Amino acid sequence: MYLNTHSYFSFKYGVMSIDTLLQEAKSRDISAFALTDINSTAGCLKFVRDAAKHDISPILGVDFRNGTKQQFVAIAQNNAGFQEINIFLSKHLHHGTEIPSQAPAFENVYVIYPFLSCLTHRLLAHEYIGVSPREILKVPFSKWKDHLKKLVLFPTVTFRDKRDFNIHRLLRAIDNNTLLSKLPKQEEGSPSDLIYSKSELLNIYENNTQLIENTEKIIASCHIHFEFGDQYPHKNLKTYTGSDKEDYKLIRRKCLEGMSYRYPNSNYKIYKRLATELQIVRQKRFISYFLVNWDIIDYALKKGYFYVGRGSGANSIMAYLLRITDVDPIELDLYFERFINLYRKNPPDFDIDFSWRDRDDITRYIFEKFSYDRVCLLATYNTFKFKAAVRELGKVCGLPPHEISLLSAIDRDHLEVAIKKYDGLARSVLKYAFLMHGIPSHLSVHASGIIISEQPIYHYTATSMPPKGFPITHFDMVEAEDAGLFKFDILSQRGLSKIKDALEIIKYNNPNDSEIDIHDTKKNFADSKVKSLLRNGRAIGCFYVESPAMRMLLKKLHADNYLGLVAASSVIRPGVAKSGMMREYILRFRIPERRNDAHPILADLMPETYGVMVYQEDVIKVAHYFAGLTLGESDRLRRGMSGKYRSRDEFKEVEKQFFISCKKMGHSEKLTNDIWYQIMSFAGYAFAKGHSASYAIESYQCLYLKAHYPLEYLVGVINNGGGFYGIDLYIHEARMHDAKIEAPCINTSQNESIIKGKTIYLGFHTVNEIEAQTIIEVLNKREDHGPFRSLEHFTDSVNISLEQLKILIRVGAFKTIEPNKKKLLWHAHLLLSKDSKYAAPTLFQTRAKKYKLPTLYYDPREDGFDEMEILHFPLKDPFGLIKEYSRDNIILAHEMAKHKNQLVTMLGYMVTRKQTKTSDSKNMSFGTFIDEAGDFIDTVHFPPSLRQYPFRGKGVYEIKGKLVEEFDFMSVEVVSLIKIHYVNMDDLEPLAERSDQVVIRA
C-alpha cells in the first residue's frame, strides 16, 4: 500500500535504517512496499536483499524533489524501469540541474504526481495522481473526482513516532545550516508522515475502494530481482577480449612471456604452479579479472609510473609473471589457496598503489578503456558519529561554543553517567546525538574502489558526480559485493613518489654514478648497509618501517632479512598486538625454548612463525587443518573477520560450525576458545602474507636508497610532505647525515627542496602562508632576468605585497643579499607602502634617497623563533632556544643502557606521541623525543603520570623516569614530564650591529 517510503538514505531527511523499515512494515502486516528515497538509490540493493528475510516484496523507486519540493515519484515496474530511473536521476545529479515538474517518457516506470501538482499535460497510461491521508477529503471537490482510475493511495512514510520527527527536524536544521528555531516549515516533512498498519491504512481510505484497487494493481505489477550470494557468478566484466577462449590464450601467452623476466632459470615446479593456477582461474572464470589488472599495469609501465601490487593477489604466480606484483610466491612459499581455491566465489583481491601524482591518470584510463557506462567509483557512507553529532546539534540548538566543547568531550560509552549532570538543551543534545550516531550524512568516495561491470552500472544504481570528476555509485563495497560486483583497488601512495623523486635527485646530484635498478630485489635483500639499518631500527623516512612501534619491533627482533621483515610487517598490526601474539612471537623468535609452547598442529602449520598466527591465510590454515572446516567455510570465516561482515548470518553460521568441528576433532574447550580468541582479535587487521611481502619490497627499495644516498632520499621525502612524521624530523635526519640545511633562498631555491653536494636548500613549499602566485612570480622573474642583486632589484622585478615580502625576509630568503634581517625589514617598509597591496615592477631605475637607520640589535636565536612561526619548526638546534637549564645529571640516549632500571633525567625535543587505552579504558600514551645528540628517546606514559604531566605540544621537555629494557630496546617509564620554556625575547642579550646608511630609490 505504500508507494512513497523513505529510509535514512534520504540523506539528512529520513531517519529509519533499511532493517528498521522492514521490521516496522512486517510488524504492521505490510507484505509489499516501495522504497523511494529522495534523489537517492543508496538503500535499494540492501532493501531488495533483506526484504525476503521479512517476507516482503520489494519495489524500487525514487522520490524526485528539488530541495524538499516534491515533483513526482517514479516506481520501477521491473529492472529495466529501475535502470531508466537511475539514468534520469544520474543526469540531474551530475549536472546539478533541477528536476522538471513533468516526468520524462519512461517505458517501464509508474509516475505518481502529488495531489496538488499543477500539471500542464494529460496523464499518460503509466502516470497517476497520489492522494495522501490528509488530502482524501479534498478528492470530491477536485478536478480529479471524475478520474478516480488515475488516483492512488499516497501516504508518505518517513517516521515511526514523534522522536523520529524530532530527529528529522534536527537533520533538516543541520542540512540548512540554521538554528532549529529558525527552520522554515517548508523544509520539514509532515509530522503525520507515519507508518500505519495495513488495517489502519485501509480504514483511512475505506470510502475510496477505487484508489485502493489502483494501488494494489500497481504493487502487484512491480517485480524487481537481483542475484545475491555466493551461489551466483560475479557480475564483473565477463571477458576481456569478448571471448573466453581468446581470454585464456592471451593470459597464457602473457604469463609465458613473463617467464624469462621473472624466472630466467625456470624449472618444473614453476611451470606446474603456473599450470595449476591457470586451470583454477579458468574454471572459476576469473581470467578477465586478471587481464583487467594486467592491462592497467601494462599502461602504467608504458607511462613510466611507479606502482606496487599487493593484497592476497601476491600469492599468485600468474600475478607475478604478469608484473601485477613484485612478490615471488615460489620464494616465499605463498599459500595459493588463500588467494583462490575452487570454493572461493569472489574474484581475487588486488590492491595496486600508484604515486599520488599518477593515480588520477590511471583512473581516467580505466574509465576510457572500459567505457564510462560500465565503470564507476565506489561510494562510502559518511555517517554521524556521536561527538560530531554533538557539535552539529549544539550549533543548531544555539549552545555557546564553550558548552559545545564540553559536551563533545564526553565519551559515548559513558553517556548514561554524563547525561545525569545536564538538563535542558544540553541533555537533549546528548540524547539526540546518541540517537543520530550511525545515521548516514552523505555519500563520499571510497579510497580506492573501482567497479567494472558486465552490465551498465545503471542496472544497479544511480550515480553522483563528486568534485573528483568521476561518477560514484550510491552503494558501498558491502552492497556491491553482495550483488556480485567486486572492486578493483587503485590506491594513491606518497611513498612511491618518494622513490621516484629520489632516483631523479640521485641522478642530478651524482651524475657519474651508475643507474640504479630499484626493482633488483635480490640485491636489496643482500645489501649489508640495508641489513644494518633494519637491525638497528634506523629506517626514518622508509615506507612502513619508520614508525616508533616498527622501530621498536625491529630492534627487539634484530630482523635484518626479507622474511623477518615480511613477518614484522604483519605482526605489528593492531589485532596481533591486541591478542598478545605479537609479544609471544617476539619471545619465540628470541628464545628458541619458547617455541615448544606452540600446539603441535599449529607449529606444523606455521613453522616460519613458530605456531603463531601472523598472516590472514593462517586463519584458513587453522580453520581447515586444525578445526576441520572445508576450504569454502574457512574462506568465509577469513572474510567474515572484517567488522563489516561479522554480524552477517552466514558468518555466525561458520562461527558455530568452527566450535562444533573443533569438538569433533577432539580439541579441548579451553584450547578451542584460545584459538578462536586469536582469530577474532587479529584477523580483521592482519595482512595476507603476500600483502606483507609487497610492503616489505617497497620498504627494501626505500632502505636501499636511504642506505646509499641518504641525503638525496630524504630530499625526496621532504618534497612529498614527509611520511609518518612531519618534515622537520626528516630535516633533522638529513643533518644527522652531515647535510647543511639552508632556508629557502630567493636566488637558489625552487618550489621543491633541492640538493647541491651536501647542501640542502629548502623549497618555497615549506614556507607557510606564502602564496602560490608569489612563488611563481619569484621563480619566473629569476628565470627571465637572472639572480636578484638587492632588495630594490627584487621589488622592482616581482609583483609582491609587503606582508609576503616580510615573510620571505624573516625566513631568511634574502640572506645571500643581506644577512641582517632587521635592516631588510626597514628597507621593505620604506620601499613598499603598507596601504598598497603590491609592489609594481618598474621599467626604469629611479633616483636613490639615503636614509640613516638606527643601531640594530641581533641575536642568532631570533632566527629560530622566526622559523618556528613561519616554517613551524626551527632549522637549528631547538635546545639552544630554551631558557638557561643545567645539564648536570642529564643523560643522553646513547648512555641509557648504562642506567638500566634506574631513575634518570633526560632532555628531549618532542617528535610525536601516540594515544592509546589501557585494558580498563584509561588513557595512556607513548612518546618519541630527540635528545641533544640527535638520538631517539622512547617514552611510556601510564595513566597516573599522563594525568599529572600531560603533553603540552611541540617543544623541549625535561623527562624523568625509570629506564627499562626489553630485548635490547630501551624506553623511559615517565614519572614526570615538564615542558621547558623558550627564552623570552626581552631577555636576550643582543649583539649591537652598526647600521650604515641605507640607499632606497625614491
Side-chain angles (χ1 to χ4, degrees):
M1 291 299 174
Y2 288 107
L3 298 178
N4 190 26
T5 310
H6 302 141
S7 75
Y8 60 23
F9 289 113
S10 292
F11 298 109
K12 295 192 184 79
Y13 192 99
V15 296
M16 286 187 279
S17 68
I18 298 296
D19 290 337
T20 300
L21 203 51
L22 287 166
Q23 290 164 10
E24 294 293 328
K26 179 67 175 176
S27 69
R28 288 166 172 78
D29 195 31
I30 296 166
S31 59
F33 68 92
L35 178 68
T36 56
D37 278 312
I38 298 170
N39 298 346
S40 166
T41 61
C44 289
L45 288 184
K46 179 174 174 57
F47 175 59
V48 175
R49 186 195 71 201
D50 292 347
K53 301 174 187 175
H54 299 269
D55 296 320
I56 288 175
S57 298
I59 303 167
L60 297 182
V62 168
D63 185 346
F64 285 96
R65 299 192 182 194
N66 293 320
T68 54
K69 187 178 185 302
Q70 187 180 65
Q71 299 294 81
F72 54 85
V73 171
I75 308 286
Q77 298 173 18
N78 48 39
N79 286 67
F82 185 52
Q83 184 166 323
E84 288 183 75
I85 292 171
N86 289 333
I87 292 171
F88 176 73
L89 176 58
S90 301
K91 172 185 166 186
H92 288 278
L93 293 178
H94 286 204
H95 298 100
T97 54
E98 287 199 339
I99 306 295
S101 58
Q102 182 179 342
F106 291 125
E107 294 182 8
N108 299 280
V109 176
Y110 292 115
V111 174
I112 303 169
Y113 294 98
F115 185 71
L116 297 178
S117 294
C118 298
L119 297 182
T120 58
H121 72 285
R122 182 187 295 272
L123 290 178
L124 302 175
H126 64 282
E127 295 182 325
Y128 294 85
I129 297 296
V131 182
S132 70
R134 56 185 176 274
E135 294 165 336
I136 194 68
L137 296 177
K138 298 178 183 178
V139 172
F141 309 101
S142 73
K143 64 179 180 179
W144 303 107
K145 65 181 187 298
D146 297 324
H147 304 280
L148 296 182
K149 287 192 175 182
K150 280 295 181 181
L151 304 185
V152 294
L153 311 190
F154 204 49
T156 297
V157 173
T158 311
F159 320 118
R160 288 166 292 181
D161 47 34
K162 178 68 187 264
R163 187 175 71 179
D164 276 2
F165 180 67
N166 290 342
I167 296 172
H168 160 79
R169 290 189 69 235
L170 291 165
L171 290 170
R172 298 306 304 137
I174 292 170
D175 194 34
N176 282 272
N177 193 26
T178 186
L179 290 170
L180 184 63
S181 58
K182 293 186 177 181
L183 180 68
K185 284 297 176 186
Q186 64 266 27
E187 285 295 322
E188 301 176 7
S190 169
S192 63
D193 289 343
L194 302 170
I195 182 167
Y196 300 100
S197 68
K198 182 177 180 180
S199 59
E200 288 173 328
L201 202 59
L202 291 175
N203 187 52
I204 292 170
Y205 290 94
E206 62 180 343
N207 296 321
N208 297 272
T209 54
Q210 181 69 65
L211 275 68
I212 295 172
E213 289 174 12
N214 297 342
T215 306
E216 289 177 337
K217 182 179 177 182
I218 288 176
I219 288 174
S221 65
C222 293
H223 301 284
I224 287 285
H225 175 71
F226 290 100
E227 294 176 342
F228 298 101
D230 290 345
Q231 67 269 34
Y232 297 105
H234 69 82
K235 305 301 188 298
N236 289 56
L237 190 69
K238 298 294 184 187
T239 66
Y240 175 80
T241 63
S243 158
D244 289 333
K245 185 178 179 181
E246 291 303 315
D247 275 6
Y248 181 74
K249 284 183 180 178
L250 177 61
I251 199 167
R252 185 175 182 276
R253 185 173 77 250
K254 290 298 176 183
C255 285
L256 292 174
E257 286 174 2
M259 194 69 76
S260 60
Y261 177 76
R262 293 301 197 186
Y263 299 107
N265 301 309
S266 52
N267 54 42
Y268 173 75
K269 179 182 179 182
I270 292 169
Y271 280 102
K272 183 181 178 184
R273 172 73 176 256
L274 174 60
T276 302
E277 289 194 20
L278 280 169
Q279 181 182 358
I280 294 176
V281 170
R282 186 181 197 183
Q283 191 171 343
K284 298 299 296 179
R285 302 197 67 183
F286 293 155
I287 288 178
S288 63
Y289 197 84
F290 274 85
L291 286 173
V292 169
N293 279 287
W294 163 79
D295 185 286
I296 295 167
I297 294 304
D298 187 57
Y299 175 76
L301 288 169
K302 288 173 181 174
K303 295 286 286 187
Y305 293 159
F306 270 57
Y307 70 91
V308 169
R310 52 185 177 82
S312 59
N315 289 31
S316 164
I317 197 172
M318 290 171 60
Y320 185 55
L321 292 169
L322 294 170
R323 299 190 68 174
I324 298 170
T325 76
D326 280 326
V327 176
D328 183 351
I330 303 297
E331 178 185 37
L332 286 178
D333 191 25
L334 293 179
Y335 193 55
F336 180 63
E337 285 78 5
R338 159 64 183 91
F339 174 59
I340 191 170
N341 57 64
L342 288 175
Y343 300 96
R344 179 172 180 154
K345 304 299 182 182
N346 55 306
D349 175 33
F350 287 111
D351 301 315
I352 307 177
D353 294 327
F354 291 93
S355 159
W356 60 279
R357 295 189 179 105
D358 302 333
R359 186 176 73 156
D360 283 350
D361 184 56
I362 292 289
T363 303
R364 176 205 56 76
Y365 172 77
I366 294 169
F367 271 86
E368 291 180 1
K369 172 76 177 184
F370 298 103
S371 177
Y372 271 82
D373 67 339
R374 283 174 166 74
V375 180
C376 204
L377 301 184
L378 262 178
T380 58
Y381 307 130
N382 275 56
T383 58
F384 284 102
K385 300 296 187 288
F386 174 71
K387 290 179 183 291
V390 168
R391 288 191 290 272
E392 292 288 349
L393 295 183
K395 282 188 274 184
V396 301
C397 290
L399 293 181
H402 72 275
E403 191 168 352
I404 294 174
S405 296
L406 285 173
L407 293 176
S408 61
I410 295 170
D411 195 288
R412 181 169 172 258
D413 295 332
H414 303 121
L415 179 62
E416 192 174 332
V417 175
I419 205 169
K420 293 175 182 176
K421 295 166 54 178
Y422 296 93
D423 55 15
L425 270 180
R427 175 176 285 191
S428 294
V429 164
L430 291 173
K431 172 182 154 187
Y432 280 100
F434 180 82
L435 295 172
M436 279 173 55
H437 179 83
I439 290 180
S441 167
H442 59 278
L443 291 175
S444 187
V445 184
H446 186 277
S448 60
I450 297 180
I451 288 173
I452 306 176
S453 170
E454 176 69 16
Q455 296 198 65
I457 201 70
Y458 299 118
H459 177 76
Y460 303 97
T461 178
T463 60
S464 294
M465 185 67 74
K468 192 175 182 70
F470 299 105
I472 62 169
T473 61
H474 280 192
F475 51 69
D476 70 2
M477 63 172 286
V478 178
E479 272 75 48
E481 290 188 9
D482 284 341
L485 293 166
F486 295 90
K487 62 185 170 62
F488 294 81
D489 283 307
I490 307 298
L491 299 103
S492 170
Q493 192 205 111
R494 286 185 178 267
L496 295 170
S497 293
K498 295 173 191 174
I499 296 172
K500 184 178 181 180
D501 289 356
L503 289 170
E504 292 173 359
I505 294 166
I506 289 165
K507 277 184 184 177
Y508 80 67
N509 202 42
N510 303 271
N512 297 323
D513 286 11
S514 56
E515 191 167 340
I516 299 169
D517 181 4
I518 201 64
H519 298 289
D520 187 351
T521 54
K522 302 294 190 291
K523 179 186 71 176
N524 296 343
F525 297 160
D527 191 277
S528 59
K529 289 186 176 180
V530 170
K531 286 177 178 288
S532 176
L533 291 183
L534 265 179
R535 188 168 48 248
N536 295 295
R538 296 189 175 276
I540 297 301
C542 299
F543 173 75
Y544 203 72
V545 290
E546 64 169 331
S547 70
M550 198 66 175
R551 188 163 45 81
M552 171 201 73
L553 180 61
L554 291 172
K555 288 191 77 170
K556 287 183 177 181
L557 291 174
H558 286 180
D560 65 355
N561 59 66
Y562 177 46
L563 290 178
L565 183 56
V566 171
S569 297
S570 191
V571 82
I572 195 70
R573 299 288 288 167
V576 188
K578 178 184 173 184
S579 69
M581 297 314 290
M582 180 173 80
R583 176 173 172 76
E584 187 60 32
Y585 174 77
I586 295 169
L587 288 168
R588 293 181 190 181
F589 186 95
R590 294 290 298 261
I591 307 171
E593 296 77 27
R594 286 285 296 230
R595 300 170 192 176
N596 297 326
D597 294 348
H599 188 282
I601 296 178
L602 300 185
D604 287 342
L605 289 176
M606 296 162 284
E608 285 181 15
T609 54
Y610 321 111
V612 175
M613 278 186 278
V614 170
Y615 307 112
Q616 273 189 0
E617 49 263 67
D618 292 342
V619 174
I620 294 180
K621 289 181 181 178
V622 170
H624 184 54
Y625 294 104
F626 175 81
L629 299 182
T630 67
L631 279 174
E633 290 170 332
S634 301
D635 191 58
R636 281 204 300 278
L637 179 63
R638 190 265 316 163
R639 288 186 69 230
M641 289 297 103
S642 122
K644 56 185 176 289
Y645 295 109
R646 196 171 293 174
S647 60
R648 293 289 192 83
D649 292 341
E650 51 265 42
F651 172 70
K652 297 290 185 185
E653 190 60 38
V654 177
E655 178 183 353
K656 180 180 175 184
Q657 187 58 40
F658 179 89
F659 284 92
I660 293 172
S661 188
C662 279
K663 190 172 182 180
K664 287 181 181 176
M665 298 284 286
H667 302 310
S668 70
E669 186 176 346
K670 182 182 182 306
L671 177 62
T672 301
N673 282 325
D674 286 346
I675 298 299
W676 181 253
Y677 174 72
Q678 289 179 41
I679 290 174
M680 287 295 290
S681 61
F682 99 90
Y685 299 97
F687 286 157
K689 188 176 182 182
H691 191 103
S692 288
S694 300
Y695 267 17
I697 283 177
E698 186 176 348
S699 298
Y700 264 100
Q701 291 173 335
C702 296
L703 286 160
Y704 181 85
L705 296 175
K706 174 79 183 295
H708 293 274
Y709 297 93
L711 299 185
E712 290 84 353
Y713 178 70
L714 287 165
V715 171
V717 174
I718 291 166
N719 285 340
N720 283 278
F724 183 87
Y725 309 96
I727 64 172
D728 55 326
L729 182 69
Y730 303 107
I731 291 170
H732 162 79
E733 182 74 2
R735 194 180 290 109
M736 294 291 287
H737 284 84
D738 300 325
K740 181 183 178 185
I741 308 297
E742 294 288 353
C745 172
I746 57 163
N747 281 331
T748 307
S749 293
Q750 300 293 332
N751 183 49
E752 295 185 329
S753 301
I754 59 171
I755 183 170
K756 295 185 176 183
K758 288 197 169 187
T759 302
I760 295 173
Y761 293 89
L762 295 181
F764 291 112
H765 71 103
T766 62
V767 182
N768 291 288
E769 297 183 23
I770 199 76
E771 295 171 2
Q773 188 56 42
T774 299
I775 298 171
I776 293 169
E777 274 273 311
V778 170
L779 297 178
N780 285 346
K781 292 296 165 56
R782 193 177 76 199
E783 177 73 22
D784 293 341
H785 305 298
F788 301 108
R789 300 184 297 276
S790 65
L791 185 64
E792 292 86 354
H793 181 210
F794 182 86
T795 56
D796 283 346
S797 306
V798 177
N799 209 16
I800 190 168
S801 69
L802 177 59
E803 288 306 312
Q804 291 281 288
L805 182 58
K806 285 163 62 179
I807 290 172
L808 289 175
I809 291 171
R810 291 179 61 211
V811 83
F814 289 86
K815 188 171 70 173
T816 56
I817 290 173
E818 168 57 68
N820 189 323
K821 292 195 292 187
K822 290 184 178 179
K823 188 185 292 186
L824 285 169
L825 288 170
W826 272 92
H827 291 194
H829 280 275
L830 293 169
L831 282 165
L832 301 182
S833 165
K834 193 171 184 179
D835 296 330
S836 64
K837 188 174 180 184
Y838 292 102
T842 60
L843 286 173
F844 305 103
Q845 296 289 342
T846 55
R847 186 167 50 84
K849 272 190 180 182
K850 295 181 179 180
Y851 295 90
K852 180 77 173 179
L853 292 185
T855 301
L856 301 174
Y857 294 93
Y858 169 74
D859 186 298
R861 288 173 288 186
E862 294 177 40
D863 290 341
F865 291 112
D866 279 338
E867 290 157 3
M868 287 168 64
E869 182 180 339
I870 297 170
L871 301 177
H872 295 173
F873 53 86
L875 288 178
K876 297 183 177 63
D877 182 7
F879 295 91
L881 301 178
I882 61 174
K883 287 188 173 181
E884 195 65 32
Y885 183 88
S886 172
R887 273 31 176 205
D888 295 343
N889 302 318
I890 296 292
I891 73 161
L892 294 170
H894 71 266
E895 301 172 307
M896 291 169 73
K898 301 175 187 175
H899 301 272
K900 189 166 57 174
N901 298 322
Q902 296 177 17
L903 284 172
V904 299
T905 302
M906 306 184 77
L907 211 56
Y909 177 71
M910 179 183 163
V911 173
T912 188
R913 63 175 290 203
K914 179 187 177 183
Q915 293 177 283
T916 186
K917 299 273 188 183
T918 62
S919 57
D920 56 352
S921 298
K922 292 179 180 176
N923 291 325
M924 68 172 291
S925 286
F926 296 95
T928 304
F929 298 82
I930 290 174
D931 72 4
E932 289 192 83
D935 296 318
F936 283 111
I937 303 169
D938 293 280
T939 59
V940 183
H941 305 253
F942 291 112
S945 165
L946 186 62
R947 275 195 304 272
Q948 190 173 359
Y949 299 101
F951 287 85
R952 300 190 182 278
K954 280 275 191 180
V956 177
Y957 288 80
E958 177 195 81
I959 307 162
K960 290 186 178 180
K962 180 182 178 183
L963 289 181
V964 295
E965 180 265 340
E966 185 178 44
F967 299 123
D968 305 323
F969 182 79
M970 301 294 301
S971 61
V972 184
E973 290 184 357
V974 173
V975 174
S976 73
L977 182 74
I978 299 172
K979 188 173 183 180
I980 299 174
H981 294 292
Y982 287 119
V983 66
N984 192 314
M985 293 290 290
D986 296 333
D987 297 336
L988 296 180
E989 295 182 7
L991 303 171
E993 286 196 2
R994 178 174 175 77
S995 297
D996 298 324
Q997 288 184 334
V998 178
V999 179
I1000 304 289
R1001 282 190 299 277

